[in-house]
Amino acid sequence: MTGRISEPPESPSRHEPVGEARWPMGMAVVTAMVLTLLLPDDLRLAPRWVLPTVEGLLLLALVAGDPGRIDRRSTALRTLSIALVGVLALSAVWSTAQLIDDILRGGKETSSATGLLQTGGTVWACTVLAFSLLYFELDGGGSAARAHRLPRTPALAFPQQLNPELASAGWRPRYVDYLYLGLTNATAFSPTDVMPLTPWAKITMGLQSLVSLLILGLVVARAINVLA
């Protein structure tokens, strides 16, 4: 007898990875592709069909490599995911920069208040989707890694992690949580219920807040000036 108390064996199902469905993330990518098609030509990084085609092919490769639920850990799939998010983020930042340049120079997209608000809203929505997918892919090593194990020290702390008693059994952040993070950070220009804990998370959330502030502030100000 050693005096040690042995822990009861845990149910094998408790350790089985349960990945989240691929379709919410896929729908976000498809929505970003459609929004890109709706942008004026001079606000797109490439000709009309180039970026949506590249993004669509990357998404199809991800679905083929890990269909159904996201739970397969693979360097190739991880590379494809980062490439897809990188293309979306680069496209959104480029469109934002071009929109701001047009507003400051009085480009043709800024001559109509209605057209300006529509274009500005489209660019803003693209940035929200791009940053939400960026958080989704970078936090905890990506969705497949989070399905197997949540990091002991997260980069983004959700309420369920700060107050574990609020979390249901087996809780994991899903894409909808990162979409909510991207939306609230873009409207409040600061963290709301999700706290950035690592440098990359703080820099990314700060950059998104700045981009959103520039878009909303300049678009609204220009639209009021046109109407006046």
Side-chain angles (χ1 to χ4, degrees):
M1 298 290 292
T2 61
R4 296 180 60 187
I5 300 176
S6 60
E7 296 183 356
E10 296 180 347
S11 170
S13 62
R14 183 175 176 181
H15 293 288
E16 292 179 0
V18 180
E20 66 176 296
R22 171 75 69 181
W23 71 263
M25 171 266 188
M27 287 300 298
V29 174
V30 172
T31 302
M33 291 163 56
V34 173
L35 291 175
T36 301
L37 291 173
L38 296 176
L39 286 172
D41 291 340
D42 57 349
L43 295 187
R44 285 194 302 269
L45 179 60
R48 181 177 297 272
W49 293 101
V50 172
L51 289 179
T53 300
V54 172
E55 293 158 2
L57 290 174
L58 289 171
L59 179 60
L60 288 175
L62 286 173
V63 173
D66 189 15
R69 294 188 173 274
I70 308 173
D71 55 14
R72 182 184 172 192
R73 289 182 289 187
S74 162
T75 301
L77 290 175
R78 176 77 170 149
T79 302
L80 288 174
S81 297
I82 292 177
L84 174 57
V85 173
V87 172
L88 289 166
L90 179 61
S91 174
V93 171
W94 173 271
S95 296
T96 299
Q98 292 302 112
L99 175 63
I100 292 173
D101 183 62
D102 274 6
I103 292 175
L104 296 178
R105 292 189 300 104
K108 60 181 180 180
E109 281 81 20
T110 68
S111 59
S112 166
T114 301
L116 175 59
L117 291 174
Q118 290 176 344
T119 301
T122 301
V123 172
W124 182 82
C126 286
T127 64
V128 170
L129 290 172
F131 276 96
S132 69
L133 288 164
L134 191 64
Y135 301 135
F136 172 78
E137 187 55 45
L138 296 183
D139 187 33
S143 183
R146 293 192 301 271
H148 290 263
R149 183 179 182 181
L150 284 176
R152 190 176 297 273
T153 54
L156 296 166
F158 289 85
Q160 292 90 334
Q161 293 167 303
L162 296 174
N163 298 285
E165 65 275 9
L166 300 178
S168 58
W171 180 86
R172 296 286 190 277
R174 307 285 181 172
Y175 174 68
V176 66
D177 298 298
Y178 296 100
L179 179 59
Y180 179 76
L181 165 61
L183 180 62
T184 54
N185 193 53
T187 52
F189 312 123
S190 66
T192 53
D193 63 334
V194 182
M195 294 295 107
L197 302 182
T198 61
W200 79 258
K202 294 178 180 180
I203 292 172
T204 305
M205 289 185 67
L207 177 61
Q208 187 195 6
S209 297
L210 179 60
V211 167
S212 182
L213 179 61
L214 285 173
I215 294 174
L216 296 179
L218 290 177
V219 166
V220 171
R222 176 61 178 170
I224 293 174
N225 185 54
V226 171
L227 290 173

